[in-house]
């Protein structure tokens, strides 16, 4: 383990300045492949599932999930033209749209996932769209940050364009949009 001082960017420095605990939010395991495996195991979905990755970034989470289970089909939803071009160059399925209004058909997906992306949109609109897009019995997975200070409902990082919501706000908004909580990890 390195004893070098870690240089934090302005976003994560702000976490510390506001008294929040800092953790490696990008992973739930030591490597990206192990992270994807842990995430895949937690999802426990059926083979041949159609997954919509809302705010997919570069699409790599879907790639890793497909390496674990080639029967999965993943559609990456992003609203950044540069990410769309990158995914097209990588020959990944991509939809250039806001995850708040994808224009996808209703009851289209078996799984909708937000991996550290839901804070880039309106929480209620994002979960409403996820509910609309999911088939009956479909599953929603949200992996994100949450404040440890229960007096803070939402923390906004304007320069980052991201909002971090308290866990109970996520849960209540999910219930409002027709979801039932199965697990929090």
């Amino acid at each position: 383990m390195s004893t070098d001082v870690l240089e934090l960017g302005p976003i994560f420095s702000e976490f510390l300045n506001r008294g929040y605990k800092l953790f490696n939010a990008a992973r739930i395991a030591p490597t990206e492949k192990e992270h994807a495996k842990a995430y895949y195991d937690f999802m426990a979905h059926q083979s041949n599932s159609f997954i919509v990755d809302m705010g997919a970034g570069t699409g790599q989470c879907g790639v890793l999930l497909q390496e674990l289970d080639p029967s999965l089909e993943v559609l990456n939803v992003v609203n950044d033209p540069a990410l769309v071009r990158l995914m097209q160059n990588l020959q990944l399925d991509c939809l250039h749209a806001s995850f708040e209004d994808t224009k996808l058909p209703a009851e289209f997906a078996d799984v909708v996932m937000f991996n550290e992306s839901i804070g880039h949109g309106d929480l209620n609109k994002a979960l409403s769209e996820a509910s609309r897009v999911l088939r009956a019995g479909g599953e929603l997975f949200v992996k994100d940050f949450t404040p440890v200070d229960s007096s803070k409902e939402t923390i906004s990082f304007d320069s980052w364009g991201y909002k971090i919501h308290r866990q109970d706000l996520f849960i209540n908004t999910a219930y409002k949009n027709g979801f039932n909580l199965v697990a929090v990890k």
Side-chain angles (χ1 to χ4, degrees):
M1 180 180 232
S2 174
T3 58
D4 296 339
V5 174
L6 177 64
E7 284 293 320
L8 297 173
I11 294 161
F12 294 107
S13 293
E14 188 65 18
F15 274 113
L16 293 176
N17 291 338
R18 292 187 184 197
Y20 294 96
K21 296 181 192 288
L22 187 65
F23 62 100
N24 185 347
R27 293 185 180 157
I28 52 178
T31 68
E32 287 302 322
K33 284 191 177 195
E34 291 171 300
H35 165 89
K37 176 73 168 108
Y39 195 60
Y40 176 81
D41 290 344
F42 180 71
M43 291 171 72
H45 48 78
Q46 303 295 316
S47 290
N48 301 307
S49 290
F50 190 92
I51 300 173
V52 176
D53 188 352
M54 301 286 207
T58 63
Q60 291 308 300
C61 184
V63 168
L64 291 170
L65 290 174
Q66 287 176 308
E67 285 177 8
L68 292 165
D69 184 347
S71 78
L72 300 176
E73 191 172 345
V74 178
L75 176 63
N76 300 288
V77 176
V78 294
N79 65 358
D80 183 317
L83 289 174
V84 171
R85 285 190 301 277
L86 172 69
M87 282 192 253
Q88 288 170 339
N89 290 339
L90 296 171
Q91 298 180 352
L92 301 177
D93 289 333
C94 180
L95 174 64
H96 184 192
S98 164
F99 58 63
E100 296 172 349
D101 183 18
T102 63
K103 306 286 192 245
L104 290 170
E107 299 183 18
F108 183 71
D110 300 301
V111 174
V112 169
M113 61 185 190
F114 292 89
N115 294 302
E116 299 173 21
S117 59
I118 200 163
H120 285 294
D122 177 276
L123 185 60
N124 187 59
K125 289 179 183 176
L127 293 179
S128 175
E129 181 66 359
S131 179
R132 188 190 69 75
V133 168
L134 278 169
R135 293 182 178 127
E139 294 186 297
L140 169 70
F141 293 90
V142 177
K143 182 173 144 314
D144 206 66
F145 309 94
T146 190
V148 293
D149 181 348
S150 61
S151 70
K152 307 272 189 203
E153 184 173 285
T154 300
I155 301 168
S156 294
F157 292 92
D158 295 331
S159 62
W160 191 24
Y162 205 86
K163 289 184 180 175
I164 297 173
H165 304 285
R166 233 179 28 220
Q167 185 175 347
D168 64 317
L169 184 61
F170 273 116
I171 293 168
N172 291 335
T173 305
Y175 279 130
K176 177 182 166 191
N177 284 285
F179 293 102
N180 293 312
L181 180 66
V182 175
V184 175
K185 185 173 183 178

